[in-house]
Amino acid sequence: MKKLLFIAAAFVISSAAFSQTKAEESIKFSELAHDFGKIKQGVPVTYDFQFANIADKPVVVESASASCGCTTPKWPQAPIMAGKKDLINVGYNAANLGTFSKPITVKIAGSDSPVILTISGEVLAADAYDAYVKEEAAKAAATEKTTKSKNKGKNKSGK
């Protein structure tokens, strides 16, 4: 009798565990990572991770949590209806110099595995950032000049 009761309890527990879905079966993100590139120290940046509800029922984002206080995710509080899109906005305060890579853990109601989003980039001091912007502008101008000189004298057909 004890064996039968134990087997029945094990079956109930295992079936409850298998009834949960994976987050990827409910929502689909257009991308899981975003690189801000080089950013200026002290100038906060944000990015919107867009996702769609691919399930046939409403989906609830229970939470979106970051690994530190420098990263602040904001997620929709209302259920997302089947077939609809929404977004998770992630902010980074850019206070510390250097490269960063920050994970954001997104928990979906009824899902046993979270989705991990990642933001990354490099924070530069103000003077280094200004020099970087100036250098990039010079590169863009040189590329534009080269393109124009290659196309000079050609007609619309490229001859």
Side-chain angles (χ1 to χ4, degrees):
M1 183 67 175
K2 285 184 180 180
K3 281 187 179 181
L4 184 59
L5 186 59
F6 177 74
I7 291 172
F11 177 75
V12 169
I13 291 171
S14 65
S15 65
F18 287 116
S19 69
Q20 292 196 346
T21 61
K22 293 183 178 178
E24 294 83 16
E25 295 170 359
S26 300
I27 64 172
K28 179 165 179 60
F29 280 88
S30 55
E31 60 185 326
L32 297 174
H34 177 71
D35 185 356
F36 286 108
K38 296 181 188 307
I39 58 178
K40 190 174 191 176
Q41 184 179 25
V43 178
V45 291
T46 62
Y47 186 75
D48 291 332
F49 286 95
Q50 187 176 38
F51 66 92
N53 176 351
I54 59 172
D56 57 358
K57 59 185 178 187
V59 170
V60 175
V61 178
E62 286 184 347
S63 65
S65 57
S67 59
C68 70
C70 60
T71 306
T72 52
K74 294 177 187 168
W75 63 96
Q77 301 300 307
I80 294 88
M81 296 299 139
K84 297 296 180 184
K85 294 182 179 182
D86 212 321
L87 48 89
I88 294 178
N89 177 273
V90 179
Y92 182 71
N93 70 9
N96 296 323
L97 292 174
T99 59
F100 65 92
S101 180
K102 303 292 180 181
I104 299 91
T105 304
V106 179
K107 178 74 173 95
I108 305 301
S111 175
D112 57 347
S113 61
V115 175
I116 307 297
L117 305 174
T118 306
I119 58 168
S120 60
E122 182 179 5
V123 179
L124 300 175
D127 55 343
Y129 180 79
D130 293 342
Y132 164 75
V133 169
K134 193 179 280 188
E135 180 181 320
E136 290 300 306
K139 285 180 188 176
T143 301
E144 185 177 321
K145 185 176 180 181
T146 303
T147 304
K148 282 183 179 179
S149 67
K150 284 183 180 179
N151 292 332
K152 191 175 185 180
K154 294 182 181 178
N155 65 21
K156 289 183 181 179
S157 66
K159 297 179 182 177

